[in-house]
Amino acid sequence: MANQNTLAIDVGFTHEDFAALLDKYDYHFSPGDVVAGTVFSLEPRGALIDIGAKTAAYIPIQEMSINRIDSPEEVLQSNETREFFILADENEDGQLTLSIRRIEYMRAWERVRQLQAEDATVRSIVFATNRGGALVRIEGLRGFIPGSHISTRKPKEELVSEELPLKFLEVDEERNRLVLSHRRALVERKMNRLEVGEVVIGTVRGIKPYGAFIDIGGVSGLLHISEISHDHIDTPHSVFNVNDEVKVMIIDLDAERGRISLSTKQLEPEPGDMVKNPTVVYEKAEEMAAKYREQMQINQQGGAAPAAVAAPAEVALEEIEVPAAVEEAEVPPAIEEVEVPPAIEEAEVPVATEEE
């Protein structure tokens, strides 16, 4: 029978050797990495996450969601495994700080860029207003609608909790700006029901040196000064007053730029009638429009665009066009920055090691 003392084998492998081996094969984690982790402890203001490091990582409650939450249980469950973003390098206890919020933001920006590329119309509820416009959320990001792009006669304050159709004006992750337009969405929807050569009734809402803005069913079209009459006109004020009801013909629809171009010139039975006798122009509007459409069809079949449909002179439509630059102070950031304290108090961040 073998002596039991001979069973004791000297393997020459100490605890220090084992710890060194763990260090050798330990994963290297860096801020910006996305890693898989398992929730193993929910704390009142955060959670401990096992990501395979020697010390459990920590995620504070403000980094758990793109939306505001009151408790970790709204987002995480014990033993749940999911992706985490490494937000900060190891602290003095060797503990990493994680974030889910950053992953959600990255995916949200990717999604809104895709929606903008598709020229999609989105719907969102106004959750607040300020001096410059209204605030909404798109894919969790905070979007801003400038006041000039809100197409409603309601006071801005009454828009809170109202759902609006919106088009993207600016998607800029680098500058943290997401700007949208309610007006452009309405223009596009209205355009889908309109046709070039169609006569519509509108109301003069504004007069500029270069033309008159005509409200046609809630959206504005431009009646350029060159399209008022065959006769020379010094100023649109000589023909129109604000709130005048007019008959106009649509000569161009540009959905991409949100432009509706109008004409009364093409409705004149005789050159200059719009200046001398606008009543006869309105009476014969449908008849003249029918002739216009007929000529337009002939020209299109002949391979040439009708001269009358040529795009009017380039004019910035103040009521429709995107502002050349929206003041920085007027556009709230799309991401509400949540600062992670450089040093989180010991009592706030439990530290759990593998030995525990």
Side-chain angles (χ1 to χ4, degrees):
M1 184 172 180
N3 190 329
Q4 290 184 351
N5 292 334
T6 64
L7 295 178
I9 301 174
D10 183 11
V11 296
F13 196 72
T14 66
H15 285 292
E16 288 75 14
D17 294 329
F18 183 66
L21 188 64
L22 283 177
D23 287 336
K24 180 179 178 181
Y25 289 100
D26 191 23
Y27 291 108
H28 179 68
F29 300 103
S30 301
D33 290 347
V34 176
V35 297
T38 301
V39 180
F40 73 85
S41 178
L42 294 173
E43 309 293 334
R45 302 301 296 170
L48 292 169
I49 313 296
D50 179 9
I51 61 170
K54 288 186 296 182
T55 302
Y58 183 73
I59 178 169
I61 190 169
Q62 66 264 32
E63 287 297 331
M64 288 185 181
S65 176
I66 199 170
N67 301 309
R68 294 185 183 278
I69 60 171
D70 296 321
S71 67
E73 286 80 4
E74 293 179 44
V75 176
L76 298 174
Q77 297 179 350
S78 294
N79 299 319
E80 173 188 3
T81 299
R82 62 178 299 163
E83 287 183 326
F84 295 90
F85 180 92
I86 298 180
L87 188 64
D89 214 339
E90 294 180 354
N91 60 16
E92 58 186 13
D93 296 310
Q95 189 171 58
L96 294 162
T97 302
L98 305 180
S99 174
I100 297 170
R101 178 174 171 266
R102 298 305 170 98
I103 294 176
E104 290 180 342
Y105 273 131
M106 289 188 292
R107 290 173 179 168
W109 280 114
E110 182 180 350
R111 178 60 179 151
V112 295
R113 282 194 296 269
Q114 180 185 356
L115 290 169
Q116 183 192 38
E118 295 170 356
D119 194 29
T121 298
V122 296
R123 301 188 68 88
S124 185
I125 295 173
V126 175
F127 70 85
T129 60
N130 60 23
R131 186 180 64 179
L135 299 174
V136 295
R137 293 198 184 277
I138 307 292
E139 299 292 325
L141 298 173
R142 186 167 60 179
F144 177 66
I145 313 169
S148 61
H149 281 265
I150 299 174
S151 187
T152 177
R153 295 178 185 175
K154 288 183 178 181
K156 286 199 303 286
E157 296 73 20
E158 294 182 16
L159 289 175
V160 175
S161 299
E162 185 167 328
E163 186 178 65
L164 302 177
L166 302 165
K167 301 289 286 188
F168 292 95
L169 296 183
E170 183 179 357
V171 175
D172 191 335
E173 181 178 4
E174 189 172 318
R175 298 174 67 195
N176 196 17
R177 287 157 64 97
L178 181 60
V179 186
L180 303 112
S181 173
H182 174 226
R183 182 176 296 278
R184 180 166 286 183
L186 292 185
V187 168
E188 182 180 89
R189 188 165 65 185
K190 182 68 178 178
M191 280 185 175
N192 291 335
R193 305 191 196 109
L194 299 174
E195 294 180 2
V196 171
E198 180 182 356
V199 174
V200 292
I201 297 174
T203 304
V204 179
R205 292 300 182 199
I207 299 177
K208 302 291 182 181
Y210 51 79
F213 287 102
I214 312 297
D215 184 305
I216 49 174
V219 295
S220 289
L222 176 65
L223 176 57
H224 191 265
I225 189 170
S226 64
E227 283 296 331
I228 293 175
S229 176
H230 285 86
D231 277 6
H232 174 74
I233 294 174
D234 291 326
T235 170
H237 285 281
S238 63
V239 182
F240 302 111
N241 293 307
V242 173
N243 294 326
D244 281 354
E245 188 172 272
V246 297
K247 270 189 179 181
V248 291
M249 185 175 70
I250 298 168
I251 59 171
D252 189 54
L253 294 168
D254 187 342
E256 184 176 343
R257 303 177 70 183
R259 287 188 172 185
I260 302 174
S261 300
L262 307 170
S263 176
T264 50
K265 173 181 176 179
Q266 307 303 328
L267 300 178
E268 289 183 324
E270 296 294 334
D273 278 347
M274 197 62 207
V275 178
K276 302 166 191 171
N277 189 5
T279 301
V280 73
V281 176
Y282 299 151
E283 288 175 353
K284 292 182 175 290
E286 284 75 12
E287 179 184 335
M288 296 302 296
K291 292 179 180 179
Y292 176 88
R293 291 191 297 270
E294 183 180 342
Q295 185 61 45
M296 182 174 65
Q297 188 174 9
I298 292 171
N299 290 344
Q300 287 174 344
Q301 290 174 348
V309 188
E314 285 295 317
V315 176
L317 272 86
E318 297 177 358
E319 298 192 20
I320 296 178
E321 279 299 294
V322 186
V326 182
E327 293 297 327
E328 194 74 27
E330 291 182 356
V331 182
I335 298 177
E336 301 174 60
E337 289 296 338
V338 177
E339 293 296 329
V340 177
I344 306 175
E345 296 297 327
E346 188 73 24
E348 293 181 354
V349 184
V351 176
T353 64
E354 291 183 352
E355 293 181 3
E356 295 175 341

